[in-house]
Amino acid sequence: METLGTADGGPAVVFLPGGGLVGRDYWNVHREVAKLTTSVIYDRGGTGDGSPAELPRTSTEVTDELRVLLRDAAIEGPYVLVGHSLGGLYARHYAIRFPGEVAGLLLLDPAHEDYNARMPQELRERWEGFDAAEAAAAFENLPDELVRLYRGLFAQELADWPAEVREPLIDYHVSPHGLKAGLQEASNVEELYAEVRAAGPLPDVPLVILSSTKVDPFKTIVSQGIPETLLQEEIDAKFRLYTDFANSVPGGEVRPVEAGHVTIHLRGEQAVRDAIADLLISIQPTADGEEAARGTA
């Protein structure tokens, strides 16, 4: 866990990485948010620089871990949680379990328990045969050409980052451990969905969802053989799902971002920063001392 910035700007912002990503992947937006308030990047156990942990884990284990780490670091809540993909599911669960500790939510292409059900049937059928555990085992001996391909993609996306941040991050992402961790962590995703569904409704807190509208190179690699028209149908269905979800919370909002799922915080950096700034403004105390944020009093 790394913390930057000052507490003077309002609630701390905590980044929860997507599956297969780590806290350092959000270095760009982490640095920008630190100009506004305290910014925290977090590596879950078993990933990145997180504590050793056997994967997969339950969402309860993950959210308990994050809560302890924040308290041990003396980072006071309530927090603005920024969750990407699988991290978005964990962020929601944290808010449901500990509503008094969450001031707002920003979800970047979040995992959602109704995602597959809302997708085109043809796409669901293509996904049915995927075995995450089997795929994770295959990463023990990746072909050199695939390693070079992934290294090249990350190098392209992070080209403007300082070498001391970029190079160790790329090395992690093309290592057998880094590649396997993302698949292992998500291998119990159906159990995670059931866990969050059973936890109850989301509390009434400010919510912004950023929905990617493009197919980035990472999506292209894992979508070999899927027609572009079907990938666009997925993007459209995803946006409808997020819109319905946002509408279930007073003041919830969805914003399209011209980026892909993996690169939403990179190619959509300004959109992420703007959404966080808007959330921070919306939850500032009013003139009479009451919280403007719903549910954070």
Side-chain angles (χ1 to χ4, degrees):
M1 180 175 285
E2 177 184 283
T3 303
L4 292 175
T6 171
D8 296 340
V13 173
V14 183
F15 289 91
L16 285 72
L21 300 180
V22 295
R24 192 68 64 182
D25 280 295
Y26 303 85
W27 177 87
N28 59 326
V29 283
H30 175 50
R31 301 267 302 180
E32 287 299 309
V33 171
K35 299 173 184 177
L36 306 174
T37 188
T38 301
S39 181
V40 182
I41 51 176
Y42 158 58
D43 282 337
R44 293 185 287 273
T47 72
D49 294 324
S51 301
E54 184 175 349
L55 300 175
R57 305 163 76 199
T58 68
S59 185
T60 297
E61 289 173 322
V62 170
T63 49
D64 279 345
E65 173 189 73
L66 176 57
R67 193 183 196 206
V68 169
L69 288 173
L70 289 169
R71 290 186 171 185
D72 286 350
I75 301 170
E76 296 184 0
Y79 316 104
V80 172
L81 302 183
V82 181
H84 181 190
S85 193
L86 183 62
L89 191 73
Y90 293 139
R92 280 177 54 207
H93 196 206
Y94 193 106
I96 293 169
R97 296 185 67 207
F98 314 116
E101 298 177 20
V102 177
L105 288 170
L106 172 59
L107 306 180
L108 316 178
D109 258 10
H112 191 281
E113 58 272 21
D114 294 331
Y115 193 92
N116 285 5
R118 298 289 289 269
M119 291 298 118
Q121 181 177 351
E122 182 181 349
L123 198 54
R124 296 200 308 270
E125 291 172 353
R126 288 173 178 265
W127 290 341
E128 283 177 359
F130 179 75
D131 187 322
E134 182 179 311
F139 281 126
E140 291 285 359
N141 295 292
L142 274 184
D144 290 343
E145 57 269 26
L146 188 56
V147 172
R148 287 194 297 270
L149 176 60
Y150 273 111
R151 182 178 291 278
L153 289 181
F154 278 108
Q156 178 181 340
E157 295 298 333
L158 308 179
D160 296 334
W161 289 30
E164 63 269 22
V165 178
R166 179 183 67 244
E167 296 307 318
L169 184 57
I170 294 175
D171 287 343
Y172 173 82
H173 282 307
V174 299
S175 69
H177 170 69
L179 289 164
K180 287 175 59 179
L183 287 168
Q184 289 174 327
E185 186 179 28
S187 64
N188 67 334
V189 68
E190 293 300 329
E191 288 82 359
L192 297 176
Y193 287 155
E195 191 177 357
V196 173
R197 190 191 298 275
L202 193 68
D204 184 9
V205 297
L207 166 68
V208 177
I209 301 174
L210 299 189
S211 182
S212 67
T213 63
K214 301 293 182 182
V215 175
D216 62 23
F218 295 93
K219 180 70 171 181
T220 299
I221 288 177
V222 299
S223 303
Q224 295 294 325
I226 299 179
E228 290 185 14
T229 53
L230 193 55
L231 294 178
Q232 185 60 52
E233 287 184 44
E234 179 184 2
I235 288 171
D236 295 341
K238 174 183 65 178
F239 189 83
R240 290 191 295 270
L241 168 64
Y242 292 161
T243 299
D244 290 344
F245 177 52
N247 287 341
S248 71
V249 178
E253 178 186 1
V254 180
R255 302 179 184 180
V257 178
E258 292 191 3
H261 176 75
V262 173
T263 56
I264 191 169
H265 61 294
L266 300 171
R267 301 186 182 190
E269 177 181 323
Q270 189 62 48
V272 174
R273 186 192 184 284
D274 289 347
I276 292 172
D278 290 344
L279 283 169
L280 291 173
I281 290 171
S282 75
I283 60 183
Q284 291 300 315
T286 59
D288 62 3
E290 295 181 355
E291 288 289 337
R294 300 177 298 277
T296 61

